[in-house]
Amino acid sequence: MSAPRPKSLAIMFLLGAFLMGGAVGFAAERAVTTPVVPRVTDEQAMLDELDHELALNDAQRRVVDSVWEWRKTRSREIMRIVRPSLDSLRDSARILMMNTFDSTQVAGFRRLLERNQRMADSAARARGEVR
């Protein structure tokens, strides 16, 4: 067995140092920075943040609250009209997709749909909505 050549040894050393430096840098960056976690907030928290960020006076806050409620009410009215068409479109798309799945995939897809529905129902309850 021959001894490694100096050039090969130097390249292996540099590659090892580079990989080690990357790993240490990655670990240090993870230890120093706080992870960015998406905030899940309710509407009141969003309005409070808007109030705080823009330093709204009382009159402005009342207008913002009023407009927010108007928008929310109008959005619900529109969704009541549009919801049946959206539900029909969603159901048709699901059927078309399931026609390409085997029985195991269909079962998995149905489990996925049920899990997503439970999460949507939970979120709606948290918002005070009744479905």
Side-chain angles (χ1 to χ4, degrees):
M1 191 157 103
S2 64
R5 297 188 327 214
K7 191 174 188 180
S8 297
L9 192 58
I11 289 173
M12 287 190 294
F13 176 76
L14 288 173
L15 181 60
F18 176 76
L19 291 174
M20 187 60 119
V24 169
F26 176 77
E29 189 268 336
R30 298 276 297 202
V32 172
T33 60
T34 55
V36 177
V37 178
R39 287 182 28 199
V40 178
T41 59
D42 60 21
E43 291 178 9
Q44 190 61 47
M46 290 171 31
L47 290 169
D48 291 343
E49 184 176 4
L50 178 68
D51 184 356
H52 176 74
E53 288 288 323
L54 302 180
L56 300 177
N57 63 37
D58 290 341
Q60 290 171 319
R61 178 60 191 250
R62 283 192 298 275
V63 169
V64 167
D65 288 345
S66 176
V67 169
W68 188 269
E69 285 302 316
W70 169 79
R71 184 201 64 85
K72 191 166 63 170
T73 300
R74 187 69 182 115
S75 293
R76 285 185 181 140
E77 292 168 0
I78 292 168
M79 284 308 293
R80 264 193 290 276
I81 295 166
V82 176
R83 174 68 59 201
S85 296
L86 290 174
D87 289 346
S88 176
L89 175 64
R90 181 200 61 220
D91 293 343
S92 295
R94 287 176 177 174
I95 290 169
L96 290 170
M97 286 187 286
M98 281 195 278
N99 285 337
T100 66
F101 299 157
D102 64 30
S103 60
T104 303
Q105 291 169 322
V106 168
F109 187 62
R110 286 191 171 133
R111 283 191 306 274
L112 177 69
L113 294 175
E114 289 169 3
R115 185 175 65 231
N116 288 344
Q117 187 61 53
R118 284 191 306 271
M119 289 187 333
D121 291 345
S122 176
R125 281 191 304 276
R127 289 189 304 267
E129 297 174 6
V130 178
R131 287 187 168 199

